[in-house]
Amino acid sequence: MKLSRVLPFLISCISAGTAVTAQTAQQTPPIAPFAASPFQFPIKPGTQNFLSGSMGEIRPNHFHGGIDIKTDMKIGLPVYAAADGYISRARISSYGYGWQLFITHPGGLVTTYAHLSQFPPALAQHMLQLQYQRKAFDVEVDLTESQFPVKKGDIIAYSGNTGGSGGPHLHFEVRDAQNQLLNPLRYGFAEIVDNVAPTIYNFALVPQSIDARVQGEFQRKEFTPAKQGNTYLLTDTLSAAGLLGLEIQAIDQYNGAANRNGVQAMELRLNGETIYRHNIDGVPFEKQRQVSNHINFTALKLNNRAYQRLYVADGNTLPIYEVDANRGRFRIEEGKVYEVVAELQDSYKNATQLRFFLKGQSTAYQVLEAPKVTTPKLSYEVMESILKITAADTAKRDLDLYIGNFRYGVVPSYTTSAGSVYLYNMIGGLPDSAALGAKSIQFPFDHLIPPGTEFLYTNRFLDITFSQNSLYDTLYLQTDHNEALDVFSINNPLTTLFQPAKVTIRPAKLPEDRSKAAVYGLGWGKSAGFLGGTWNGDAITFYARDLGKFKVISDTVAPTVKLVKKNSAEISFRISDNLSGIASWSCEVNGQWLLLKWEHKNATLTSERLDKTVPLAGDVVLRVKDSVGNEAVYRTKI
């Protein structure tokens, strides 16, 4: 079967004849330059190096867009220009990439270098002047070709730990003219040695149609294969039926490094025929968030297990796939035996295989286990569009499903120790309730929201507008307002959005000072994340990047400020806020603005003078505001 080409540039990461020789981490011997690569390695070129992060690695809300190069846990290693070009953009940010440079090269490729500690002197002075001109720490500027030209091998910066970095390292990217993130390892850096094949931990089979079964049940089931060489096997043949999808939890590693990195490429074959391939070798920058649709997001959030899907989920528009007509899903027919082989490869073509067998089973009603019923009850869960109702009842009888004024009889699909299971596809209409004899259950579904279109839903306590690109797939909307706690619920945090939804909520209890009240996402556990919002009468409107629980909370407490050090060369403070978070700060010495560099990891503000020959002296006034405008004013003298 011919694969449809969703990915037009599945380029081989490493060409034949570019193998590298493994070296130990302790030796780090010099090695010959890699002739085939147009780029020089940006850290300790010519010496074996090590990665703490790989291209396409699964992060909670994005694909990792480059490689993380270790810097011996040090700050201040020279960073070298990968090739001739010019510094086309420079950025200083408190979060994210931190201090970052972009170099544009002939031909249109761009390399980026992030989490830096220092820029070269001329650029550092240029950025410092810009900060004083704009009176801001966070600045970004586009630069012309003539301002800061560079040659391959020039020192362009020094490594650091700025922004969202979790430790000293260099984040290195390669982008094309369309701002698509490319795998730097496709250019064959010999400084990275890798002959370690990916490791498979588990795999899962996931029903994709209402007639699908895994080991007799309509249920996602996980399995742990046994390793034999570079192949992972199941000794038992699994029973299955209907349309299924495969998910794999795996990692990759490099020689001399214990870090668990992401797996680059996966291919799925059914009875020897390739039905699916993906290669995380080029990800559009604006689609990095679609990682939540490439993986099983629920398994990641609930169990911290990153299962990559070997099928393209509805709403996934990433250009990294080659698929058949079923987009990688495969159908199992009764009585037939299928060999399933998944091949995993890293950027250096080290390969691992997963191999197991499926035998097609009947989908006719059967008792898998005798029910163990103590108290008859009804429970339910939603899997994609399928409503799965379990009736803890020993009797085999039809379930009454109510949709508006209509009643439908649903026959049981199978019976387990938990009771009889009934399946219904909600594309046919949202049910209000179900009943089995004297037992009944009410469903909380408000509306079916289609993807790919702007859609407004409103009720007495909230309004939600989904943009054309908010939803990956059909959403079975569930909303609630707990008036006692004044908490608003929209589905749950396991429902991910690609683009934000606009939400307006109407609290039961209005705050005394609305200028100090904002919306917070309650998220996981007891955390409360500031989302902000704009008041219009008794309602407040905000944008939700994720669904879940929301509450209006008032913040009337100003940030706290503590002096850490002061002298004629430098002054520094430690600041914090109890709820909405630090939004801005401004410092003046004798009425003149003074730059304070923000480091959120230790919550410190540290001065940097524009003219180092002029000592700090006189009256100091620091003003710190939180996100709802509470202000702390700290005064001292130097």
Side-chain angles (χ1 to χ4, degrees):
M1 184 180 299
K2 186 176 181 180
L3 298 182
S4 63
R5 234 176 220 288
V6 180
L7 171 62
F9 51 81
L10 274 174
I11 299 174
S12 173
C13 299
I14 303 295
S15 61
T18 63
V20 291
T21 303
Q23 303 287 347
T24 64
Q26 291 74 25
Q27 292 175 314
T28 59
I31 51 182
F34 199 94
S37 176
F39 294 128
Q40 173 178 300
F41 204 65
I43 290 284
K44 298 190 296 183
T47 300
Q48 184 181 348
N49 218 312
F50 307 95
L51 302 183
S52 59
S54 61
M55 171 69 191
E57 202 165 278
I58 306 301
R59 300 294 168 87
N61 58 5
H62 68 284
F63 287 105
H64 188 238
I67 57 175
D68 287 341
I69 305 170
K70 294 190 177 188
T71 57
D72 304 325
M73 291 302 294
K74 297 176 183 177
I75 291 173
L77 269 62
V79 177
Y80 299 93
D84 294 353
Y86 69 99
I87 298 175
S88 53
R89 188 187 308 171
R91 172 189 294 155
I92 295 176
S93 174
S94 309
Y95 299 94
Y97 287 104
W99 292 46
Q100 183 183 21
L101 291 181
F102 296 69
I103 296 180
T104 296
H105 306 284
L109 289 181
V110 176
T111 53
T112 78
Y113 313 75
H115 307 307
L116 305 169
S117 62
Q118 296 179 56
F119 293 148
L123 179 59
Q125 186 63 25
H126 182 87
M127 297 300 287
L128 184 60
Q129 290 173 343
L130 189 65
Q131 288 173 308
Y132 270 88
Q133 177 187 330
R134 297 181 182 177
K135 294 185 177 181
F137 173 65
D138 287 12
V139 293
E140 182 173 358
V141 62
D142 290 324
L143 303 165
T144 65
E145 189 171 352
S146 61
Q147 284 179 281
F148 297 100
V150 297
K151 290 292 185 182
K152 184 175 185 177
D154 285 353
I155 296 176
I156 55 163
Y158 293 87
S159 67
N161 187 30
T162 56
S165 172
H169 73 278
L170 176 72
H171 177 82
F172 176 67
E173 296 176 347
V174 179
R175 305 186 187 191
D176 65 13
Q178 288 72 46
N179 207 30
Q180 183 165 241
L181 294 159
L182 309 178
N183 182 9
L185 296 184
R186 69 161 63 172
Y187 298 101
F189 294 114
E191 285 83 355
I192 302 303
V193 178
D194 182 10
N195 56 19
V196 181
T199 298
I200 297 174
Y201 290 137
N202 301 288
F203 70 92
L205 290 171
V206 188
Q208 299 290 303
S209 60
I210 198 168
D211 64 337
R213 303 288 185 270
V214 180
Q215 300 287 76
E217 299 184 63
F218 184 86
Q219 183 173 327
R220 177 183 180 273
K221 291 199 173 186
E222 297 181 0
F223 304 90
T224 302
K227 184 179 182 182
Q228 295 183 14
N230 277 343
T231 301
Y232 290 76
L233 306 168
L234 275 188
T235 55
D236 296 331
T237 297
L238 303 177
S239 62
L243 197 64
L244 301 177
L246 176 66
E247 301 173 352
I248 295 180
Q249 181 199 7
I251 65 161
D252 187 45
Q253 293 181 294
Y254 299 91
N255 292 60
N259 303 80
R260 298 181 176 186
N261 304 116
V263 177
Q264 198 68 33
M266 297 188 183
E267 178 177 314
L268 177 60
R269 298 191 290 270
L270 189 69
N271 288 340
E273 185 176 318
T274 299
I275 62 172
Y276 171 95
R277 293 191 190 104
H278 79 243
N279 189 342
I280 313 173
D281 204 39
V283 177
F285 188 84
E286 71 278 5
K287 292 188 177 184
Q288 283 181 286
R289 188 173 169 83
Q290 289 204 17
V291 68
S292 63
N293 210 19
H294 173 77
I295 63 170
N296 185 311
F297 186 74
T298 299
L300 179 67
K301 297 301 289 186
L302 295 184
N303 304 314
N304 197 30
R305 294 183 174 184
Y307 280 87
Q308 293 194 52
R309 290 169 165 163
L310 276 73
Y311 59 95
V312 182
D314 293 338
N316 184 339
T317 61
L318 287 165
I320 63 173
Y321 307 105
E322 283 187 297
V323 295
D324 68 352
N326 285 325
R327 294 168 66 84
R329 300 171 177 89
F330 50 92
R331 180 165 292 280
I332 303 300
E333 297 180 6
E334 183 178 351
K336 295 184 179 180
V337 176
Y338 300 82
E339 181 190 42
V340 181
V341 176
E343 183 167 300
L344 283 60
Q345 286 191 357
D346 61 24
S347 295
Y348 285 83
K349 297 298 184 184
N350 300 299
T352 294
Q353 279 194 355
L354 168 68
R355 188 186 302 269
F356 61 94
F357 289 88
L358 295 174
K359 184 174 182 179
Q361 68 177 91
S362 169
T363 57
Y365 173 82
Q366 58 180 314
V367 177
L368 302 176
E369 293 182 69
K372 300 174 183 177
V373 176
T374 54
T375 303
K377 63 178 181 180
L378 296 176
S379 60
Y380 76 94
E381 63 177 309
V382 178
M383 296 178 62
E384 301 287 344
S385 65
I386 307 301
L387 177 65
K388 177 183 174 182
I389 303 170
T390 301
D393 191 293
T394 55
K396 178 194 172 185
R397 48 184 169 171
D398 291 0
L399 178 85
D400 291 328
L401 194 68
Y402 295 90
I403 304 174
N405 296 323
F406 296 93
R407 176 174 62 85
Y408 298 90
V410 182
V411 300
S413 296
Y414 56 89
T415 297
T416 70
S417 60
S420 293
V421 175
Y422 301 80
L423 302 174
Y424 168 72
N425 193 332
M426 291 195 293
I427 295 295
L430 288 181
D432 307 309
S433 61
L436 189 71
K439 295 294 177 182
S440 64
I441 188 171
Q442 299 290 320
F443 299 118
F445 308 118
D446 294 319
H447 209 286
L448 185 153
I449 313 294
T453 184
E454 184 171 307
F455 194 98
L456 169 64
Y457 171 82
T458 185
N459 60 27
R460 62 182 178 81
F461 54 82
L462 60 73
D463 308 322
I464 313 171
T465 300
F466 296 96
S467 73
Q468 182 177 356
N469 296 314
S470 289
L471 299 175
Y472 293 113
D473 199 0
T474 301
L475 177 68
Y476 303 96
L477 185 65
Q478 303 174 45
T479 64
D480 184 51
H481 180 212
N482 184 321
E483 293 193 17
L485 300 176
D486 223 1
V487 172
F488 299 80
S489 299
I490 307 173
N491 288 63
N492 60 64
L494 298 177
T495 305
T496 64
L497 303 177
F498 179 44
Q499 292 185 356
K502 181 180 178 182
V503 181
T504 299
I505 56 178
R506 293 176 275 277
K509 184 179 180 180
L510 293 172
E512 293 182 7
D513 184 354
R514 296 180 199 179
S515 70
K516 304 298 182 186
V519 178
Y520 292 76
L522 301 188
W524 301 92
K526 297 181 179 180
S527 63
F530 177 81
L531 297 176
T534 302
W535 285 94
N536 183 8
D538 295 343
I540 184 170
T541 299
F542 64 100
Y543 285 87
R545 294 220 61 167
D546 298 289
L547 302 184
K549 295 182 182 296
F550 307 94
K551 181 177 175 63
V552 174
I553 302 175
S554 294
D555 179 3
T556 58
V557 180
T560 61
V561 179
K562 180 181 179 181
L563 179 67
V564 176
K565 178 172 65 173
K566 66 175 180 178
N567 55 48
S568 62
E570 181 181 277
I571 187 167
S572 62
F573 307 89
R574 182 166 288 111
I575 62 175
S576 63
D577 187 69
N578 70 319
L579 187 58
S580 61
I582 302 296
S584 65
W585 61 91
S586 180
C587 185
E588 292 183 350
V589 179
N590 286 339
Q592 298 297 309
W593 188 84
L594 176 68
L595 173 65
L596 295 181
K597 299 182 293 183
W598 170 238
E599 177 48 72
H600 68 90
K601 297 184 185 71
N602 55 19
T604 58
L605 293 169
T606 305
S607 66
E608 183 170 358
R609 294 169 290 163
L610 180 60
D611 186 347
K612 305 295 192 294
T613 65
V614 178
L616 296 176
D619 295 326
V620 178
V621 180
L622 171 64
R623 301 178 186 277
V624 182
K625 289 185 179 182
D626 64 17
S627 294
V628 294
N630 297 305
E631 182 180 66
V633 180
Y634 187 94
R635 302 176 189 273
T636 188
K637 285 182 179 289
I638 299 179

